Amino acid sequence: CRFGGRSDYCDIEGDVRVDPGSATVYQVLHPTSSDFIAKSTAAMTMIKPYPRNGDETAMGLVREWTVKTVPPDHEGLPHFHHDDSSPALLFSLGAYFGNYFHAFTDVLVSLFVTARPFDRGLHLLVTDGHHLQVAKFATMWQALSRYEVIDIDKVQPDGKAHCFSRVILGLKGRDGKELSINTSETQYTMKDFKHFLRSAYSLNKTAAIKLQTEDDKTTTLVPRLLIISREKTRTFTNTEEIVTMARELGYQVTVTELDSNVSRSARLANRADVMMGIHGAGLTNMVFLPEDAVVIQVVPFAVDWFATNYFGEPSKGMEVRYLEYKIEREESSLVKQYPPDDVVFTDPSSFRWEEFSPIYMLNQNVTLNVTRFRPVLLEALELLHQ
């Protein structure tokens, strides 16, 4: 087992039995094992198979599993259904997995890194998994495993355990950065992850259009702009004005909320040459953008750190070009809620997260100054010429 960093990780081989009832993984050492004498007495360790160590809130929502090394006559050792020669990977869909951004940054990227080398030849054992979340990413599971996903929390009627020749607990490839891969642990990169998604979701567009100018006349290619709308928080209040301006610049515009239908979101993002949206989980769909597409993040007031670390920095490893538009105070709905000299404007950093989130994340909308924003869309067009 390896402990530390963002993710704990155990790789166990031999006679391995996974008991859902007690949340225990037994490594059974038989007398023929070279390690039998050294490890014949029970050894135990604990692991929470979700890659967000250090986040007490997240890890408090993850089921803890016990790993025991025991002899075959260990009291309480469960019997098993059948001995499966294929390996298995046990990981959690708890904590923040219900959030689209965290589903990718916490689990799916690391799952790709951990499972991909097995060429679909391993079982996926899901703990803390709600059936709707499992169904939501069915395409991902099928692309990584030829077997049905196993809800490992479900106790069998006969009380027996699952038995495998090898069980991996936890996911690797996760470092302190969001939407990224720790390349010191693996040969894979975020470009590889994007190519994997393109194949899994049957996305045909591999590259954004390249606008060219010949004899001072621009070709008739029309760039597609996808505007991510949000219905509840951090919404654009003047979407129609933005669309009108974008069309005047020559864009074909689609406005939609990228919801829980991952396949639909993947197709819409993949068709886009430019994708823009206010900071939020919808921008996670840049993982589906074609190569050399442009992503524009509109940054609400005081949300700079999150914008940079969640999407700005990660974009560098994804074959996309990144533009950022930081709104001015007058473009924020907060100006209608607080006086100009309020601490909300003068010192946002003084708020704890419990106070910060309701103000800046949940109750801030954006009225985009289209005149000020126009050069950003023009810059995106310029990037498509390069």
Side-chain angles (χ1 to χ4, degrees), residues 2 8 44 46-47 65 83 108 123 133 154 156 159 165-166 190 207 229 252 282 293 310 319 352 364 368 370:
R2 180 208 68 189
D8 296 334
M44 183 173 70
M46 315 292 282
I47 186 170
W65 286 76
D83 191 352
L108 299 179
H123 293 273
Q133 292 297 340
K154 185 177 181 180
Q156 300 301 310
S165 62
R166 178 183 179 186
M190 283 300 293
S229 63
Q252 177 182 328
Y310 283 19
E319 301 179 315
R352 300 189 308 272
Q364 181 177 194
L368 208 62
V370 293

Side-chain angles (χ1 to χ4, degrees), residues 133-172:
Q133 292 297 340
V134 174
K136 180 177 178 178
F137 293 100
T139 300
M140 286 282 292
W141 317 137
Q142 293 165 8
L144 289 171
S145 173
R146 66 175 63 99
Y147 307 105
E148 291 289 330
V149 173
I150 297 175
D151 179 356
I152 202 60
D153 293 337
K154 185 177 181 180
V155 179
Q156 300 301 310
D158 55 13
K160 290 183 178 180
H162 300 267
C163 187
F164 302 95
S165 62
R166 178 183 179 186
V167 173
I168 298 168
L169 288 91
L171 303 172
K172 61 182 180 180

Side-chain angles (χ1 to χ4, degrees), residues 81-271:
H81 288 278
H82 62 277
D83 191 352
D84 198 312
S85 60
S86 300
L89 172 61
L90 193 159
F91 59 100
S92 173
L93 298 186
Y96 304 146
F97 188 81
N99 175 279
Y100 193 71
F101 169 77
H102 283 285
F104 276 89
T105 190
D106 290 352
V107 176
L108 299 179
V109 173
S110 295
L111 176 62
F112 162 76
V113 169
T114 311
R116 189 62 167 171
F118 292 90
D119 193 25
R120 300 183 68 238
L122 84 170
H123 293 273
L124 300 180
L125 314 182
V126 171
T127 183
D128 306 312
H130 189 279
H131 70 279
L132 292 178
Q133 292 297 340
V134 174
K136 180 177 178 178
F137 293 100
T139 300
M140 286 282 292
W141 317 137
Q142 293 165 8
L144 289 171
S145 173
R146 66 175 63 99
Y147 307 105
E148 291 289 330
V149 173
I150 297 175
D151 179 356
I152 202 60
D153 293 337
K154 185 177 181 180
V155 179
Q156 300 301 310
D158 55 13
K160 290 183 178 180
H162 300 267
C163 187
F164 302 95
S165 62
R166 178 183 179 186
V167 173
I168 298 168
L169 288 91
L171 303 172
K172 61 182 180 180
R174 178 84 160 90
D175 57 18
K177 298 178 181 179
E178 306 295 349
L179 280 179
S180 64
I181 291 174
N182 184 355
T183 54
S184 65
E185 282 193 349
T186 176
Q187 74 273 25
Y188 296 114
T189 66
M190 283 300 293
K191 290 182 180 180
D192 296 319
F193 180 63
K194 287 193 62 177
H195 293 168
F196 161 75
L197 291 177
R198 195 174 296 152
S199 173
Y201 285 93
S202 301
L203 305 177
N204 298 322
K205 190 172 179 178
T206 59
I209 64 171
K210 297 187 183 301
L211 301 178
Q212 298 178 348
T213 302
E214 298 177 359
D215 299 325
D216 296 328
K217 293 182 179 180
T218 306
T219 60
T220 57
L221 293 174
V222 179
R224 296 188 178 194
L225 170 64
L226 174 62
I227 300 178
I228 302 173
S229 63
R230 295 173 59 92
E231 292 186 0
K232 297 180 180 179
T233 62
R234 279 163 279 141
T235 65
F236 287 119
T237 62
N238 61 332
T239 303
E240 291 185 5
E241 191 179 6
I242 300 168
V243 170
T244 298
M245 184 263 293
R247 286 174 175 163
E248 290 174 351
L249 295 178
Y251 285 99
Q252 177 182 328
V253 184
T254 299
V255 181
T256 188
E257 184 170 13
L258 299 183
D259 53 22
S260 59
N261 188 328
V262 183
S263 294
R264 173 182 175 273
S265 296
R267 290 193 301 271
L268 287 170
N270 181 250
R271 292 170 186 164

Side-chain angles (χ1 to χ4, degrees), residues 274-279 283 294-300 303-316 321-327 368 372-373 375-377 379-380 383:
V274 180
M275 184 178 79
M276 66 170 280
I278 299 175
H279 171 78
L283 286 173
V294 181
V295 59
I296 303 172
Q297 179 172 204
V298 176
V299 184
V303 185
D304 303 52
W305 185 90
F306 299 95
T308 298
N309 288 280
Y310 283 19
F311 301 112
E313 285 298 319
S315 69
K316 296 177 181 178
R321 279 80 69 88
Y322 175 79
L323 297 176
E324 191 172 273
Y325 177 83
K326 295 181 181 180
I327 72 167
L368 208 62
R372 181 170 176 262
F373 182 70
V376 180
L377 285 182
E379 185 176 357
L383 288 174

